Amino acid sequence: MQAHATNRWATPSQWEDHRSTISRLYRRNTLSELMHTMQEEYGFYATSRMYKLRIHAWGLRKNLTFKEAKGLLTQMI
């Protein structure tokens, strides 16, 4: 995937500017849906590898670990 000639890849400051939006969309969408939304609605261009590296650096996850899920269930009882 290449950015269009008139567009540039996302800069570190743009990543931070869109951090909350990316975090919200990541939890509710697939990576390709997230990438498409960010490109179409925000003019934000990044490769899937860029997203994966940033998501990992931010510590974002979609699923709970077994230990976390067990702890939540224990609290509910």
Side-chain angles (χ1 to χ4, degrees), residues 28-45:
R28 297 179 182 154
N29 298 282
T30 65
L31 181 58
S32 62
E33 291 169 337
L34 163 63
M35 291 173 64
H36 179 76
T37 300
M38 290 303 296
Q39 184 174 334
E40 294 300 314
E41 294 184 22
Y42 299 94
F44 186 90
Y45 293 89

Side-chain angles (χ1 to χ4, degrees), residues 26-76:
Y26 174 70
R27 289 187 180 96
R28 297 179 182 154
N29 298 282
T30 65
L31 181 58
S32 62
E33 291 169 337
L34 163 63
M35 291 173 64
H36 179 76
T37 300
M38 290 303 296
Q39 184 174 334
E40 294 300 314
E41 294 184 22
Y42 299 94
F44 186 90
Y45 293 89
T47 64
S48 61
R49 179 167 168 74
M50 292 169 144
Y51 275 99
K52 289 175 184 177
L53 289 170
R54 192 64 58 147
I55 287 166
H56 177 75
W58 289 342
L60 299 178
R61 295 184 314 190
K62 289 186 179 191
N63 301 313
L64 297 175
T65 64
F66 176 79
K67 185 176 179 180
E68 290 168 335
K70 185 177 175 184
L72 287 174
L73 289 172
T74 302
Q75 290 176 0
M76 293 174 69

Side-chain angles (χ1 to χ4, degrees), residues 8-15 18 43-47 50-51 54:
R8 293 186 165 146
W9 296 113
T11 64
S13 64
Q14 289 173 318
W15 280 101
H18 291 286
F44 186 90
Y45 293 89
T47 64
M50 292 169 144
Y51 275 99
R54 192 64 58 147

